[in-house]
Amino acid sequence: MKAGIGSIKNIIAIASGKGGVGKSTVAVNLAFALKSKGFIVGLMDADIYGPSQPGLLGKREQPKGFEGAIVPLEIDGLKFISMGNMNQTGKANIMRSPMILKALSQFIMGVRWGDLDYLLVDLPPGTGDVQLTLSQQAKLSGAIIVTTPQRVALEISYKGLNMFQVLNVPILGIIENMSGFSCKHCGKTTDIFKIGGGKTLASSSDVPFLGSIPLDPEVMVAGDEGRNLIESNPNANSSRMFMKIAEKVIEVQNKISAEIFEPMHVQIDCGKLKIVWKEDSTVIYDTFKLRLNCPCADCVDENTGKRRITEKQIPLDISATRFNLVGRYGVSVHFSDGHNTGIYTLKLLMEMPNDIGKTSFSV
Ligand code: ADP
């Protein structure tokens, strides 16, 4: 088995705008819910500064290495890795950004994840380097935003949601956590905070609402005990809610995956970008027009959408020198004039009309 994420069908980021909304709790319970539906599931704790998965999973030992790669830990059939298991000192992870990104790359490239149906990635809160690196290196197939119903959380969640939209990572939907208090004695739910904010955010952002989880002492106690709530108490109200959310996640992810169209092959051929989309459809892009239509912030005014770069600024003999695939969604092209900041989304390349540089032919 090779290290890395090559054999993982779906990589889903679990994100939140701010800390303390229950993102890690949702990630672990959703992972177990997907597992109890019969899928092979992994969980990557990318919350490098505040890793909580070892505690939530009740497994704090260090993972072992094998042939230069990390073997993920396993609990109840769930594979997982966390910085909390790597750092056994009990002290804080004090690392500068480049070190964090290095650790993260190791979690992506250096772990023997093997064949997984789903890898859930528990992100740190916010919209920083880790989110960016993951979106580009880990080929995210989707992102889920966890929020609480209060306005302040919803406002920050919108920023997280917007970041994934900008990065072209499909948003699978929003989960509202701590949505009302569920009393285990009388079974009634009281709306301590307001409820419904997550649903409103979802509909105003035109993304699915995946469901809500009440503020439930059983969720907190299971987390504190490092106990698998879904399997130890499948009849708890919250366990049933997590199972319902898992069903919705599967449905939305399958629908989105069917719409993602990954090319069979990308190359630079005689200074031009060439993409084999399907066996019978290859497109060679006109480099001059591709450069002119570069979507980066230097070439297009972000506010007005107006093109800043003019034809006169582009050498007539411009060529493409190399490319990088960016996540599952784009290609960045390096040009002979030194420009390399544009990420052309696959959608943009597929939909590029002929007059801006597409020459389509069948082979
Ligand atoms: P985050 O990852 O967003 O920082 P955590 O998942 O660590 O948040 O959760 C913070 C605290 O809230 C934990 O003590 C957790 O047990 C508790 N918690 C999270 N969700 C719920 C819930 N639905 N009901 C009760 N307690 C919860």
Side-chain angles (χ1 to χ4, degrees), residues 91-143:
K91 293 187 183 151
N93 288 322
I94 303 169
M95 288 194 275
R96 289 193 190 276
S97 206
M99 284 297 291
I100 297 225
L101 298 184
K102 214 171 146 194
L104 199 63
S105 288
Q106 210 187 6
F107 278 7
I108 299 167
M109 310 308 294
V111 174
R112 295 165 76 92
W113 289 109
D115 296 329
L116 296 183
D117 295 306
Y118 292 94
L119 175 67
L120 302 192
V121 184
D122 181 6
L123 287 182
T127 52
D129 274 356
V130 172
Q131 287 78 358
L132 203 63
T133 302
L134 260 155
S135 305
Q136 299 186 339
Q137 283 190 17
K139 289 194 160 197
L140 293 179
S141 25

Side-chain angles (χ1 to χ4, degrees), residues 22 44 58 76-77 118 123 164 186 195 202 250 283 296 298 300 332:
M44 182 201 293
D76 293 347
Y118 292 94
L123 287 182
F164 286 112
C186 68
I195 58 162
I250 296 163
V283 178
C296 84
D298 283 338
V300 177
S332 82

Side-chain angles (χ1 to χ4, degrees), residues 18-25 52 177-178 213-216 219-220:
K18 67 197 275 301
V21 299
K23 166 186 54 62
S24 301
T25 305
S52 40
N177 188 32
M178 308 193 193
I213 305 290
L215 186 66
D216 176 0
V219 172
M220 192 264 291

Side-chain angles (χ1 to χ4, degrees), residues 9-10 118 141 170 172 249-262 278 328 350:
K9 289 191 191 129
N10 301 287
Y118 292 94
S141 25
L172 302 188
V249 168
I250 296 163
E251 181 198 315
V252 177
Q253 181 68 83
N254 284 347
K255 188 166 170 273
I256 287 176
S257 298
E259 287 165 6
I260 291 179
F261 197 80
E262 283 189 80
K278 287 190 284 186
R328 269 199 174 142
M350 265 185 80

